[in-house]
Amino acid sequence: MKKSKPSKRPKRVDFISNMPDPILQSILQRLPTTEEIARTSVLSTRWRYLWTSIPSIDLDISRATAFDKKIFKKFVTRALENNTLDLDSFRLSCAGYCSMSTVSRWINAAVTRNVKVLDLSFGPSDEDDVVELPECLIACDSLESLRLFLMARTLILSNVGFSKLKVLELNLVELIDEDSVKAFFENCLLLEELNLFDCLLNKLETLCISNQSLRILRIDNRNLDYTEDPPADYDLKSNMIYYDNEGLCNSLELCCPELVYFEYGGHIAYNFDFENMDSLKVVEIHPEDMSQVDLSFESLGDTICELFAGISHVEALSINLYFVQAISAAHDPEGHFPTSLPNMKTLEISTTIDDYTMQAVMRILRCSPNLESLRLIILKEIFWPQCWELDEVLTHHLTRVEFIDFNGEERKLAMARFILEHANALNVMVFIWRDKVKYDEKSMETMNQVSTFHKASSTVKVFTLLKEQPFEPPYKLK
């Protein structure tokens, strides 16, 4: 019996496994989650521990449905074990499955590895439902960005702020001690951006944010619905969170001399006190219907006027329909409504077309003698107002007009025609369509119609595009 000849085929070489660690780590970092990265440990001995050397960790218990609590906890601990490597980022979402002591242990491990970006989403399983940040986290010199989503748990803040933190986001967090909250924000000495999303503030008479370095501030509770009881078909997985109508603080005080951007959305406070806000350039105010709150619409209008007075020096402003309606209803006995918006260059307004709202719109426009860019989001056309006398506003400075969510409506075209006939400094008019079908069917017809309009400016150019297409933003934050 003849012996078979040995194969002349060369043995296969695992070129990937023989690559240097930095290249393999770069490959692993392109996988979307830490769970998927960890699965590569079964490929060979070479890969067994490689996954623990990745500088970014992203763990979410909702993605690990087959895990029980103990296995998930062990996995998180294992992922944090490599103390020889600093962490660029650590994201952890464990819902209500872990106690505060367990989460604190993981935070300590991340701090030991000099974490820079920390994103924690959890609601402690402890009975008291109170979260107190570990001292090691407050004192962490490497931490630059922190996001906390606490599932409506109470957060106890100390009087000592973060030493090096630049970005802080609190999401669905209850704040309860007015003095501690004030001292905490004041003592975050390097903080540049603060985001308070859907925070429960009803136990604070006043929310005071005083900070010498803060540049960006967002306060938004538009995912909170202040009703006594959620509807019968309320889905716990939805984005809407239901609370009683006492979810707001009474007053908002701001003292931030470096602040340049302020966004305020949802239900708003009743009183405002702004100090040292001369650097403020860009503001977005989008209040929501507060009919559930024991406050008349006229009183709310007076509150909006008071808020407006505190931001009258800004260069760019975005306001919604409710803001406009509140101004229309205001009695404003204290005369808070600004007589002039001298620095206003960019204005975005969501409104309806009717006498009631357009009078408020024109009132704002007449106070803006240096307005250059106007963005109109017309939500509904009820009827055409009797007066639309804006010659003095349009003639001198307005250089750009945008119609957002445009679908070829005749009354919007009539407004565009009026602007084109009177704005002799206009350079650009843009129609931004929201419906692709209508855009394909009517955009050329609209452009042909607009081309026949008389134009006061000989240099004006008219464009039409779909909403998803990129276009120049109304303002830029420098």
Side-chain angles (χ1 to χ4, degrees), residues 4-16:
S4 59
K5 294 181 180 181
S7 174
K8 294 182 180 181
R9 292 181 182 177
K11 293 183 178 179
R12 292 183 178 178
V13 178
D14 187 351
F15 290 104
I16 294 180

Side-chain angles (χ1 to χ4, degrees), residues 245 270 290-296 299:
N245 59 14
Y270 307 141
M290 295 175 64
S291 58
Q292 299 287 344
V293 181
D294 186 17
L295 186 71
S296 68
S299 297

